C-alpha cells in the first residue's frame, strides 16, 4: 500500500531535549516536505527536499533541521525544542514538479508534539 | 509564497443543502490544489486546477478556477455528514511548493 509513515504519532517532551520525528514514504517520490499545523494558522511549510541531499527552507524553518540521505526518508530534527514548537506536524511527499506541473502531495498521519 | 484568503472560515450547513467556499488571491496563480482534512485526520488531495476558467466535478463536488486565475471555488451540493471536515485550497508554485489557505471548516447539521 502506497503510504507515508511518521513516528512517533504522539510525543510529549521537555524544553531543550533533542528529538527526531521520522518520515518515510514507499512511493519513490523525489519531493518531500514538512508542515506544521496550528489553530487559526493553517498548514505552514517548515522544510522541503527536491531530492536526495537537496533540502531548502520553507516558511517557518527556525528551530528545525532536516536531512535527506535516502530517497524514502526525511527526518525532522528539533535540536532544542521550545514550547512554541508545540504543534501538529505533517510529512508529505510527491513526484517532483515537471514542466511547470505540480503533483498531488501525500500526507502522513501526523505527529502531535507537546513541549513543556 | 503566494498568499490566499479562504472564505468563509467556518460553514454550518444543514444536511441536504448546498454551499460554496472561496479561495482568493491578489496575484495570478499558475495552478491550485484542493485538499480535505477530516477531524483528527490528515489532508487528502481532492483535485488540481490548471487552466483559466477550468471546471471539474467529483460527484457532488464542483471545483472552479477563475478566468483570471486569481480565485477558485468549491461548491458542494446536497451536503452529507461525510462532507464534514476542513477544506483547504493550496496554490502550487515552482518546485511543487504549496502555500495553504487558512481553510474552511465545514460542520453539517443533521
Amino acid at each position: 500500500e502506497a503510504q507515508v509513515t511518521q513516528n512517533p504519532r504522539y510525543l510529549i517532551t521537555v524544553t531543550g531535549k533533542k528529538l527526531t520525528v521520522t518520515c518515510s514514504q514507499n512511493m519513490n517520490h523525489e519531493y518531500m516536505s514538512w508542515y506544521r499545523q496550528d489553530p487559526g494558522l493553517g498548514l505552514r511549510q517548515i522544510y522541503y527536499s527536491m531530492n536526495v541531499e537537496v533540502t531548502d527552507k520553507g516558511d517557518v524553518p527556525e528551530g528545525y533541521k532536516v536531512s535527506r540521505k535516502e530517497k524514502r526518508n526525511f527526518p525532522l530534527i528539533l535540536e532544542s525544542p521550545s514550547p512554541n514548537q508545540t504543534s501538529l506536524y505533517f510529512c508529505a511527499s510527491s513526484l517532483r514538479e515537471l514542466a511547470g506541473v505540480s503533483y498531488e502531495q501525500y500526507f502522513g498521519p501526523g505527529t502531535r508534539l507537546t513541549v513543556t | 509564497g503566494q498568499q490566499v484568503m479562504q472564505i468563509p472560515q467556518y460553514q454550518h450547513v444543514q444536511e441536504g443543502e448546498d454551499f460554496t467556499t472561496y479561495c482568493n488571491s491578489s496575484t495570478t496563480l499558475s495552478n491550485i490544489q484542493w485538499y480535505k482534512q477530516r477531524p483528527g485526520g490528515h489532508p487528502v488531495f481532492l483535485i488540481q486546477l490548471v487552466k483559466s476558467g477550468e471546471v471539474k466535478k467529483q460527484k457532488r463536488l464542483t471545483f472552479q478556477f477563475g478566468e483570471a486565475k486569481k480565485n477558485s471555488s468549491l461548491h458542494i451540493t446536497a451536503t452529507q455528514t461525510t462532507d464534514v471536515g476542513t477544506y483547504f485550497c493550496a496554490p502550487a508554485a515552482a518546485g511543487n511548493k504549496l502555500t495553504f489557505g487558512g481553510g474552511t471548516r465545514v460542520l453539517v447539521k443533521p
Side-chain angles (χ1 to χ4, degrees):
Chain A
E1 179 190 355
Q3 61 181 348
V4 179
T5 57
Q6 293 179 229
N7 282 291
R9 295 289 313 279
Y10 302 90
L11 179 61
I12 300 174
T13 189
V14 296
T15 299
K17 186 176 181 182
K18 181 180 178 180
L19 67 92
T20 299
V21 183
T22 64
C23 173
S24 183
Q25 51 93 5
N26 63 0
M27 295 169 278
N28 202 35
H29 286 163
E30 296 91 353
Y31 182 92
M32 297 186 75
S33 180
W34 276 101
Y35 298 88
R36 61 178 289 175
Q37 186 173 31
D38 303 289
L41 295 176
L43 285 142
R44 294 178 293 168
Q45 191 181 52
I46 303 170
Y47 268 95
Y48 65 97
S49 170
M50 302 287 279
N51 215 325
V52 176
E53 300 293 0
V54 181
T55 63
D56 210 345
K57 296 178 181 179
D59 299 315
V60 288
E62 293 77 22
Y64 304 95
K65 285 176 57 177
V66 293
S67 69
R68 188 91 182 272
K69 294 185 171 58
E70 306 165 282
K71 197 172 188 179
R72 64 183 294 126
N73 297 322
F74 190 43
L76 178 69
I77 304 154
L78 285 71
E79 294 269 5
S80 182
S82 62
N84 64 12
Q85 293 179 296
T86 292
S87 188
L88 178 58
Y89 291 86
F90 288 102
C91 179
S93 74
S94 74
L95 293 170
R96 187 175 177 173
E97 178 196 27
L98 183 64
V101 177
S102 300
Y103 291 89
E104 66 178 282
Q105 295 195 11
Y106 294 80
F107 283 78
T111 295
R112 187 165 291 281
L113 172 66
T114 302
V115 184
T116 61
Chain B
Q2 295 169 309
Q3 302 292 325
V4 287
M5 179 74 71
Q6 273 190 261
I7 51 173
Q9 197 172 355
Y10 296 94
Q11 181 81 55
H12 294 248
V13 191
Q14 191 72 43
E15 190 172 13
E17 290 185 344
D18 302 353
F19 77 90
T20 303
T21 175
Y22 300 89
C23 182
N24 299 317
S25 171
S26 58
T27 60
T28 302
L29 306 172
S30 57
N31 55 69
I32 193 163
Q33 299 182 2
W34 283 88
Y35 289 79
K36 176 184 179 181
Q37 184 178 21
R38 294 182 186 274
H42 57 276
V44 175
F45 175 81
L46 293 176
I47 206 113
Q48 176 165 262
L49 304 171
V50 178
K51 299 177 184 175
S52 167
E54 188 170 15
V55 178
K56 287 188 176 180
K57 292 189 176 184
Q58 288 181 350
K59 297 182 180 178
R60 295 179 294 102
L61 277 60
T62 301
F63 302 85
Q64 189 163 2
F65 205 5
E67 293 290 340
K69 299 183 76 174
K70 287 187 174 182
N71 54 71
S72 181
S73 64
L74 161 58
H75 180 79
I76 299 183
T77 58
T79 304
Q80 299 177 358
T81 54
T82 54
D83 295 324
V84 164
T86 303
Y87 294 82
F88 294 97
C89 66
N96 224 30
K97 177 176 171 56
L98 295 181
T99 300
F100 284 80
T104 293
R105 185 175 173 188
V106 175
L107 302 169
V108 179
K109 293 178 281 188

